[in-house]
Amino acid sequence: MFSKTIRAFSTSSTSLKNIKIGLIPGDGIGREVIPAGRAVLENLPSKLGLKFDFVDLDAGFELFQKTGTALPDETVKVLKEECDGALFGAVSSPSVKVEGYSSPIVALRKKLGLYANVRPVKSVEGIGRPVDMVIVRENTEDLYIKEERTYKAADGTRVAEAIKRITETATTRIAKMAYDIALKRQAIREASSATGLHTSPSVTVTHKSNVLSQSDGLFREICRSVYDANLGLYDSIAYREQIVDSMVYRMFREPEIFDVVVAPNLYGDILSDGAAALVGSLGVVPSANVGENFAIGEPCHGSAPDIEGKGISNPIATIRSTALMLEFMGHTDAAATIYEAVDANLAEDSIKTPDLGGNSTTQQVVDDIIRRF
Ligand code: NAI
Ligand code: MG
């Protein structure tokens, strides 16, 4: 249910229950990777005490071409009234504007109040640059409110303006989410005795308040005051601030130092795409769209028409997105089981899809991950 019983940051659940997951494959390879998320959930060890039901839901550009609707009301209704969480594959977007079409995932984020885009970027020990960070991007305001106007200056030349809106309300909730994620990551590390990059949690608040003293100044001030006001809860977290341009520099110079990064919408968008470049393939980077009561796991990649139908899409971004969804539902043990199996697969050279230099199929990678549970 879209219910009060599911809280994004509850500790690991021990109650036995059936969990209903909406599956929205969308377009292209979305249809090849969403079954991987389902297979992972169906094959979780029974000792975790979770049982899943699934409901297939429509959305996407192909659906729009057939029916004139990209996001049917029924899909939203079932998600709200019946589902505990959801997985979204990818949607194709036409390169030219098509009258009446707008992205169903953007609409879903609005309709379900999913105010944060959470994007973990993680390398596997010993492969490439060491990185294990989560970017927590505010998803509802900043310059992305799209309040723009163009007018003529006195000399007849055009001037364009956009409003950057930062609110105390949205900043408070995104800051809390960042701190809570930092604590949850630490709990998972401790539970799995993982020897990772971070031995203690940290949150880096990204801003440009040296120039934008009011808007980014408010973002920075609220992030700090949420931390100070909850010191009893957050005192194990190291609080850091970083101006966004030097943040980009440091993220590429020394990505290993960052644990959780919280940012307003625009900086979060740019930082998270940049961070994905640190770990090799789009096929391994997950995300979750998160609100108070609901999370949708979504791989970062698109519908990949160039590899559609070949059976070689990398399922790892979706499998990690599935774990992320479970984390936000409070099932941290199940999430850790999935993350560890994925890392174990990536740490070996044998079973990989071609984007990672291997020659295995989507199904072979899914089977290899599941056998490691
Ligand atoms: P894309 O992410 O679909 O593909 C970029 C490149 O990465 C391609 O070479 C593709 O083969 C490869 N790739 C992506 N995912 C992969 C996976 N799981 N395994 C192996 N290789 C993978 O981005 P592109 O080509 O720019 O866009 C294709 C379509 O997807 C467009 O219509 C675009 O609008 C849409 N798109 C949708 C997104 C979403 O639904 N959130 C995000 C990005 C693009
Ligand atoms: Mg982006």
Side-chain angles (χ1 to χ4, degrees), residues 21-232:
I21 303 296
L23 299 175
I24 315 161
D27 300 316
I29 66 163
R31 289 188 289 259
E32 299 171 24
V33 293
I34 289 301
R38 177 181 178 142
V40 159
L41 292 174
E42 284 175 330
N43 286 282
L44 278 173
S46 54
K47 66 171 193 246
L48 290 166
L50 304 177
K51 201 171 168 324
F52 295 91
D53 295 323
F54 299 95
V55 51
D56 294 318
L57 299 168
D58 283 333
F61 186 59
E62 285 171 35
L63 182 77
F64 174 81
Q65 286 174 307
K66 272 188 239 149
T67 66
T69 307
L71 180 65
D73 291 342
E74 179 67 10
T75 294
V76 180
K77 185 171 183 288
V78 172
L79 286 173
K80 278 189 174 173
E81 293 178 6
E82 295 178 25
C83 293
D84 299 301
L87 296 175
F88 188 95
V91 289
S92 299
S93 297
S95 46
V96 290
K97 182 160 174 55
V98 172
E99 210 44 54
Y101 179 74
S102 69
S103 165
I105 186 65
V106 174
L108 261 183
R109 288 173 187 151
K110 276 201 189 122
K111 284 176 194 275
L112 300 181
L114 307 177
Y115 60 81
N117 191 257
V118 179
R119 192 181 279 199
V121 182
K122 186 175 187 296
S123 62
V124 173
E125 224 176 306
I127 303 174
R129 286 301 284 278
V131 44
D132 181 8
M133 64 193 287
V134 175
I135 294 170
V136 180
R137 166 187 167 194
E138 203 288 324
N139 228 6
T140 66
E141 57 179 28
D142 194 7
L143 279 164
Y144 287 30
I145 55 174
K146 297 201 282 187
E147 287 183 26
E148 295 185 285
R149 67 173 190 140
T150 306
Y151 60 94
K152 289 257 170 71
D155 67 358
T157 57
R158 283 173 301 159
V159 179
E161 289 175 350
I163 291 180
K164 175 179 166 95
R165 179 170 298 129
I166 301 288
T167 65
E168 199 170 327
T169 303
T171 307
T172 300
R173 67 190 178 192
I174 203 74
K176 280 190 176 145
M177 181 170 289
Y179 300 131
D180 289 340
I181 287 173
L183 292 179
K184 178 159 279 188
R185 276 161 64 79
Q186 183 65 15
I188 289 173
R189 287 192 286 259
E190 283 165 8
S192 65
S193 10
T195 51
L197 285 175
H198 310 291
T199 48
S200 59
S202 74
V203 171
T204 305
V205 176
T206 309
H207 65 91
K208 187 77 183 176
S209 67
N210 51 330
V211 176
L212 300 166
S213 59
Q214 298 205 34
S215 51
D216 280 6
L218 183 65
F219 187 84
R220 179 188 179 194
E221 179 199 319
I222 298 298
C223 286
R224 174 89 227 186
S225 64
V226 168
Y227 178 80
D228 288 341
N230 294 281
L231 259 188

Side-chain angles (χ1 to χ4, degrees), residues 119 137 144 268-270 272-273:
R119 192 181 279 199
R137 166 187 167 194
Y144 287 30
D269 190 1
I270 296 168
S272 58
D273 278 30

Side-chain angles (χ1 to χ4, degrees), residues 29 90-93 282-283 298 300-307 313-314 355:
I29 66 163
V91 289
S92 299
S93 297
L282 262 175
E298 180 197 0
C300 286
H301 62 74
S303 57
D306 55 333
I307 57 168
S313 319
N314 193 333
D355 56 309

Side-chain angles (χ1 to χ4, degrees), residues 10-11 20 40 43 49 73 84-85 87 178 223 233 235 242 250 299 303 328 352 366:
S10 57
T11 51
K20 193 161 185 178
V40 159
N43 286 282
D73 291 342
D84 299 301
L87 296 175
C223 286
L233 193 59
D235 60 358
Q242 191 76 47
R250 294 193 72 186
S303 57
F328 282 104
K352 286 190 166 54
V366 173

